[in-house]
Amino acid sequence: MIDSISYLSLLITPLFILGAVLYGFFRKVRVYDSFVAGAKEGPRVVLNIFPYLLAILVAIKGFQASGAFDFLKNGFYQLFSFLDIPIEVISISFIKPLSGSASTAMFTDIVKTTGPDSMATKMSAVIIGSAETTFYVLAVYLGAVNIKNSRYLVPVCLIGDVIGVVVAIMAARYLYH
């Protein structure tokens, strides 16, 4: 069974590409020309979203370097200490919406310092898998389509992140205690 699933997983990408080409062929679309036209747009899109990506990266580094991250982390740890949530979990909860690579690096550090079977590692792993890099995604998508006024988008996404983290912590406690 595992061998057949492994074999099938190797075929998914080529079958998807073949399916897209066949779909285009039967719909009388010039597939190669469409691909080239899309590839030509790639550098323009990168140039359009680069300022937004740079702004979010500078904001993240400033947040960390200013000490605001540690201040928030410690404050929330004190506030929720009665829930017995490891401080590492609070750290990953703050970093995940900001940066996927920073949260992956932090997760690696959590595994190294607390061990692979610790509750901090398990909760952090569930958070990594269930939360989104909200600010990065918003910077890329809103920058790509030139939306300047996001109005309710950021608060709604952050509420979704908080709900995701709370559910991840509850799920990890339920599954691993």
Side-chain angles (χ1 to χ4, degrees), residues 109-169:
D109 187 52
I110 291 170
V111 174
K112 287 179 183 175
T113 57
T114 65
D117 293 328
S118 71
M119 186 53 72
T121 296
K122 291 174 181 176
M123 284 182 178
S124 297
V126 177
I127 289 169
I128 289 282
S130 61
E132 183 57 78
T133 53
T134 301
F135 290 102
Y136 174 80
V137 169
L138 290 177
V140 171
Y141 292 149
L142 296 180
V145 293
N146 291 320
I147 294 176
K148 303 288 188 231
N149 183 7
S150 61
R151 194 169 176 161
Y152 300 115
L153 199 54
V154 173
V156 168
C157 289
L158 290 176
I159 289 168
D161 281 335
V162 169
I163 291 170
V165 167
V166 169
V167 170
I169 290 170

Side-chain angles (χ1 to χ4, degrees), residues 25-158:
F25 177 77
F26 288 120
R27 302 281 279 177
K28 308 264 192 267
V29 173
R30 297 178 64 168
V31 177
Y32 182 75
D33 292 338
S34 297
F35 174 78
V36 170
K40 283 181 182 177
E41 286 183 31
R44 184 183 54 79
V45 171
V46 168
L47 290 175
N48 283 344
I49 66 173
F50 180 75
Y52 300 98
L53 292 175
L54 182 61
I56 195 69
L57 291 174
V58 169
I60 290 167
K61 292 300 179 189
F63 181 66
Q64 290 173 325
S66 71
F69 172 71
D70 290 330
F71 179 76
L72 276 174
K73 176 182 71 171
N74 293 329
F76 273 90
Y77 181 68
Q78 296 299 324
L79 186 64
F80 294 111
S81 61
F82 69 95
L83 293 174
D84 194 32
I85 299 171
I87 194 164
E88 297 87 0
V89 173
I90 293 170
S91 298
I92 205 104
S93 300
F94 278 118
I95 290 296
K96 181 62 178 175
L98 299 173
S99 169
S101 58
S103 61
T104 301
M106 184 176 286
F107 177 71
T108 302
D109 187 52
I110 291 170
V111 174
K112 287 179 183 175
T113 57
T114 65
D117 293 328
S118 71
M119 186 53 72
T121 296
K122 291 174 181 176
M123 284 182 178
S124 297
V126 177
I127 289 169
I128 289 282
S130 61
E132 183 57 78
T133 53
T134 301
F135 290 102
Y136 174 80
V137 169
L138 290 177
V140 171
Y141 292 149
L142 296 180
V145 293
N146 291 320
I147 294 176
K148 303 288 188 231
N149 183 7
S150 61
R151 194 169 176 161
Y152 300 115
L153 199 54
V154 173
V156 168
C157 289
L158 290 176

Side-chain angles (χ1 to χ4, degrees), residues 3-19:
D3 288 335
S4 61
I5 291 174
S6 182
Y7 181 71
L8 182 63
S9 70
L10 292 173
L11 292 176
I12 287 177
T13 302
L15 288 175
F16 179 79
I17 293 170
L18 178 64

